[in-house]
């Protein structure tokens, strides 16, 4: 999985539209192999981003869990600690 795509499910507050779209953009970039599409492929590229963001939004709002929502700040601290160990 692409390291730039972050888990968005079960957070308090929930994932925003921008976070979901950013994840969709990263996914399409990974699939297409380019950060910025050519003019010829731009329409298909951004249509894919829109469709994936919509599907992800629907999925995140339909999923259920019995776990307590995770705290964004706590998860960020954990991620920094993992990163520090990995790159130490």
């Amino acid at each position: 999985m692409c390291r730039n795509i972050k888990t968005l499910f079960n957070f308090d507050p929930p994932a925003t539209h921008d976070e979901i779209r950013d994840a969709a953009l990263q996914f399409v970039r990974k699939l297409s192999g380019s950060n910025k599409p050519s003019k010829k492929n731009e329409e298909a590229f951004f249509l894919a981003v829109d469709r994936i963001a919509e599907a992800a939004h629907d999925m995140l709002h339909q999923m259920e869990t019995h776990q307590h929502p995770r705290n964004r700040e706590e998860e960020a601290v954990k991620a920094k600690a993992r990163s520090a160990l990995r790159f130490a």
Side-chain angles (χ1 to χ4, degrees), residues 12-43:
D12 188 27
T16 66
H17 177 72
D18 288 341
E19 289 173 316
I20 295 170
R21 183 163 172 73
D22 288 347
L25 178 60
Q26 285 293 340
F27 183 72
V28 172
R29 284 176 173 167
K30 188 71 165 183
L31 287 177
S32 69
S34 66
N35 282 338
K36 185 176 181 195
S38 65
K39 287 287 184 194
K40 188 173 186 175
N41 294 325
E42 202 170 56
E43 185 178 342

Side-chain angles (χ1 to χ4, degrees), residues 1 3 20 25 28 53 58 62-64 66 70 74 87-88:
M1 185 167 145
R3 283 184 228 144
I20 295 170
L25 178 60
V28 172
D58 292 345
Q62 290 176 16
M63 290 176 66
E64 297 177 12
H66 296 289
R70 292 176 281 182
E74 290 174 7
F87 295 111

